[in-house]
Amino acid sequence: MSASQTSSSDVPTLLVKIFGKDRPGITAGLFDTLAAYSVDVVDIEQVVTRGRMVLCALVTEPPPGLEGDLRATVHSWAESMKMQAEIISGLGDNRPRGLGRSLVTVLGHPLTAEATAAIAARITKTGGNIDRIFRLAKYPVTAVEFAVSGVETEPLRTALVTDAARLGIDVAVVAAGLYRRAQRLVVMDVDSTLIQDEVIELFAAHAGCEDKVAEVTAAAMRGELDFEQSLHARVALLEGLDASVVDKVRSEVRLTPGARTLIRTLKRLGYQVGVVSGGFTQVTDDLKERLGLDFAHANTLEIVDGRLTGKVTGEIVDRAGKARLLRRFAAEAGVPLSQTVAIGDGANDLDMLNAAGLGVAFNAKPVVREAAHAAVNFPFLDTVLYLLGVTREEVEAADTLDIV
C-alpha cells in the first residue's frame, strides 16, 4: 500500500502532554521545540485551572531515528520550565465521536461533586460519552457544559431531567451543531418571568380586591381553570378603577434580576426579542419601549371616560394565542421556529414552549418544568444565556466594551 493510500488511523503519532504552573510562553516554547523535528500538528488542547496548565499536543511521528532525541529534548525543555512532560506513542487521531451529539448544560448553586458524579454516571448509563467539559459561568450560578456523543438528544434529556430534580440542579440538553448557534428570536412571557409581579394583582391592589384576584390567578397558572374565563373574571373586579392607576402600576413593576442583562446581551448578539402576555398592553407597551424590545403583544384593558370598564378588548392572548404569536413574530423576523427560544413559567405558556426550538421553563410550575425542553430554577433571568452557550466572561466583556 502506498503512503497516499494509508489510512489516517494507521499513521504513527505522539501524544505530548505538558503540565504544571501556567506562565507566558509555554505553548510557543513547546512547539518551537517540536518544530526542530519536522512534525505536523494533528490536534491541540489546553486547559488552565487555578493557575495550573495541562497542554496536550498530538503530532505526527518524527523522521526515523529521531523519536528518542525528540523525547529527550522535550523532557529537558519541560524541566527547564519547571513543568512535567509525558509522551505516549500511538496510531492516528482521536477516535471518531459517536452518532448523536448533544450539549448538556448543568446549573448549580452550588454545583456539588455528588451532583456532577450523578450526571456523569447517567450520561454513561444512557450510552453517551463525555467528549469535553467546559465552564460557562461561576456567577451567579456555576454553569458547566458537557459535550456528549453516542446517544440521541431526546432520551438523554429524559434521563437527565429526572436526576436533576432529585439533585437540586438544573439541566438543559440541546442538540449540538450549527442549530444551537442559529437561534435568533427569543420570546418571553411577562408576569413572573420578565417581571417579578403579576400585573393584574398590581391593579387589584389599587381596587382593593387583591386577594380575590390572586386566588383566581394561582388556579389559572396551575392549569385548573380555563385562562380566558379566569381573565374575564379577574378583570371584571377592576370595573370603575380610575385610569390614572395605569401609571402607578407601571412604576410598581419590578424587573426580574438579570432581565436587563439578558435582553442587552441578546440584542448585542443580533437576536430579536419579544414578549407575549396574558396581562395588558398598558404595561407591555411601556416595557417594550424601556427595554428596546422588537415585539410585544398582550390583552388590552378597556378604558372609557377615564375609568376601567372591567372588560378587555381585541383578541385574547391565552395559551394557544401565545404560540400563535410566537409563530407570527418568527415570520416577521424571518426566523424559522426551529431557531426560536421561548421562556415562560405557567401552564398557559406550554404551547409556546413546545412550539419553539428551545422551550425554557423559568421558575415554573411542576407541570411546565416536566414538559419544557429545559428548566431554570434560579431567580436570575440571565442564566438563560448559559443554555445558549454564552459565557459569563463574554457577557461581562461586552458590558465593558459597551458594544451596541
Side-chain angles (χ1 to χ4, degrees):
M1 180 181 293
S2 68
S4 62
Q5 294 173 312
T6 302
S7 168
S8 61
S9 62
D10 297 329
V11 174
T13 53
L14 297 177
L15 174 60
V16 181
K17 179 180 177 183
I18 305 295
F19 48 100
K21 185 177 180 180
D22 185 31
R23 58 176 59 84
I26 297 295
T27 305
L30 172 61
F31 286 98
D32 276 344
T33 302
L34 294 173
Y37 296 91
S38 301
V39 298
D40 296 328
V41 177
V42 178
D43 196 4
I44 309 172
E45 187 155 348
Q46 178 174 308
V47 177
V48 177
T49 304
R50 210 179 68 179
R52 307 296 292 184
M53 166 194 275
V54 178
L55 169 60
C56 293
L58 186 64
V59 299
T60 55
E61 188 179 59
L66 293 182
E67 182 177 334
D69 190 50
L70 179 150
R71 287 174 175 269
T73 302
V74 169
H75 279 285
S76 177
W77 168 82
E79 185 176 348
S80 73
M81 300 299 293
K82 297 182 179 180
M83 306 286 282
Q84 293 179 274
E86 182 180 2
I87 303 175
I88 304 171
S89 299
L91 293 175
D93 198 347
N94 303 307
R95 64 187 176 116
R97 295 180 65 191
L99 297 177
R101 299 179 184 179
S102 304
L103 295 170
V104 178
T105 305
V106 181
L107 308 178
H109 185 62
L111 179 58
T112 65
E114 176 189 9
T116 305
I119 292 299
R122 178 61 67 184
I123 289 172
T124 300
K125 288 179 182 178
T126 60
N129 184 72
I130 299 172
D131 300 315
R132 184 170 296 178
I133 304 174
F134 176 73
R135 187 179 73 179
L136 294 167
K138 61 181 178 181
Y139 171 84
V141 300
T142 300
V144 295
E145 182 177 272
F146 295 74
V148 177
S149 61
V151 60
E152 294 299 325
T153 299
E154 287 301 327
L156 180 61
R157 177 186 293 136
T158 300
L160 292 179
V161 166
T162 301
D163 283 352
R166 174 176 58 82
L167 295 166
I169 58 175
D170 289 339
V171 175
V173 184
V174 299
L178 292 175
Y179 163 84
R180 197 237 197 141
R181 297 187 181 93
Q183 291 164 328
R184 282 293 177 266
L185 171 67
V186 175
V187 176
M188 289 176 276
D189 173 44
V190 175
D191 293 10
S192 298
T193 300
L194 178 63
I195 66 174
Q196 300 176 57
D197 312 283
E198 292 288 331
V199 169
I200 195 167
E201 292 179 9
L202 296 179
F203 277 101
H206 291 281
C209 58
E210 187 176 11
D211 291 343
K212 292 181 180 178
V213 166
E215 183 179 337
V216 179
T217 298
M221 290 296 99
R222 291 193 299 268
E224 297 171 2
L225 292 177
D226 173 80
F227 178 80
E228 183 172 351
Q229 291 178 338
S230 69
L231 174 67
H232 288 302
R234 289 174 290 176
V235 171
L237 296 170
L238 306 181
E239 183 179 359
L241 196 61
D242 192 279
S244 63
V245 167
V246 169
D247 288 335
K248 295 178 182 179
V249 167
R250 286 175 175 173
S251 68
E252 293 167 351
V253 166
R254 300 167 300 163
L255 292 174
T256 298
R260 288 187 182 277
T261 300
L262 172 67
I263 294 169
R264 181 173 63 246
T265 305
L266 290 172
K267 298 293 288 183
R268 287 170 172 170
L269 289 171
Y271 281 67
Q272 296 188 61
V273 184
V275 293
V276 292
S277 177
F280 310 109
T281 57
Q282 281 82 359
V283 170
T284 57
D285 287 351
D286 180 62
L287 289 170
K288 180 182 179 183
E289 182 177 351
R290 285 167 51 195
L291 299 174
L293 303 175
D294 299 283
F295 305 99
H297 200 94
N299 301 301
T300 299
L301 291 169
E302 185 180 63
I303 299 176
V304 176
D305 295 331
R307 293 191 175 275
L308 275 64
T309 66
K311 299 178 182 179
V312 292
T313 61
E315 180 184 12
I316 297 298
V317 179
D318 56 7
R319 175 170 169 167
K322 288 188 174 185
R324 186 166 56 250
L325 287 164
L326 171 69
R327 294 186 178 91
R328 182 190 304 173
F329 293 168
E332 292 178 14
V335 175
L337 274 178
S338 61
Q339 294 177 10
T340 63
V341 179
I343 309 169
D345 75 299
N348 65 331
D349 296 314
L350 277 172
D351 288 4
M352 175 177 73
L353 298 183
N354 290 330
L358 175 64
V360 181
F362 180 73
N363 291 316
K365 313 303 182 288
V367 65
V368 182
R369 291 200 304 267
E370 292 168 7
H373 301 128
V376 171
N377 294 303
F378 299 102
F380 310 106
L381 193 57
D382 53 339
T383 55
V384 173
L385 291 168
Y386 309 144
L387 307 186
L388 306 179
V390 180
T391 69
R392 190 72 198 179
E393 288 79 6
E394 289 170 331
V395 174
E396 293 174 353
D399 285 343
T400 300
L401 296 171
D402 196 25
I403 299 172
V404 178

